[in-house]
Amino acid sequence: MDAVDRKILAELQEDGRLTVTELAARVRLSLSPCHRRLRELERSGAIRGYRAILDAGTVGLTFEALVFVTMRQEDRDTVAAFESALTGIPEVVRAERLFGDPDYLLRVVGADLPAFQRLYDDRLATLPGVQRLSSTLVMKHVVEERPLPL
């Protein structure tokens, strides 16, 4: 990956809706070489996809919590079952496996506190291998959806 590829990636992180023509102009390449580089960045996995970034509050998801998960057991099968079950819970918008304690950090969105309580009691607490859940509410986003430093 060279400086031109990094410029292409930086431009697309700022505006993923750029046409190839606009992108080529911004990175000072002709259309064909820019298009080839873009396809190679997609093929290599450097670009994983394109999507709209939504405002959670505008679509009625005004509640957000961080949930810390401590596992009772961490054998391969239990971890796989836990992680697989997480993929079926749309309110879990991000999940990270951590070193140390706790074992996982989940970012959860919902409509309100009662909806979160139902999710917590009915879904999260019943996931395979869970020993303990603790959560904290998000007060404010300070840094959000920042582009990767290139």
Side-chain angles (χ1 to χ4, degrees), residues 132-150:
R132 182 177 73 247
L133 299 173
S134 62
S135 59
T136 188
L137 305 183
V138 174
M139 179 189 305
K140 173 184 173 184
H141 291 275
V142 178
V143 175
E144 188 175 31
E145 302 293 337
R146 177 183 282 171
L148 293 175
L150 299 171

Side-chain angles (χ1 to χ4, degrees), residues 6-59:
R6 290 181 191 285
K7 180 70 175 156
I8 289 170
L9 293 173
E11 291 293 338
L12 288 173
Q13 283 189 108
E14 289 299 319
D15 184 356
R17 295 184 65 169
L18 288 173
T19 67
V20 177
T21 304
E22 292 167 329
L23 181 61
R26 288 189 184 191
V27 299
R28 302 185 192 281
L29 279 179
S30 61
L31 190 59
S32 289
C34 183
H35 192 258
R36 276 195 302 276
R37 283 176 178 262
L38 180 59
R39 293 294 168 242
E40 179 55 28
L41 289 166
E42 291 169 342
R43 189 200 62 73
S44 73
I47 297 174
R48 295 188 309 166
Y50 302 89
R51 65 184 176 96
I53 299 171
L54 306 181
D55 180 88
T58 301
V59 297

Side-chain angles (χ1 to χ4, degrees), residues 50-70:
Y50 302 89
R51 65 184 176 96
I53 299 171
L54 306 181
D55 180 88
T58 301
V59 297
L61 301 171
T62 59
F63 184 90
E64 184 174 342
L66 300 177
V67 180
F68 302 94
V69 181
T70 301

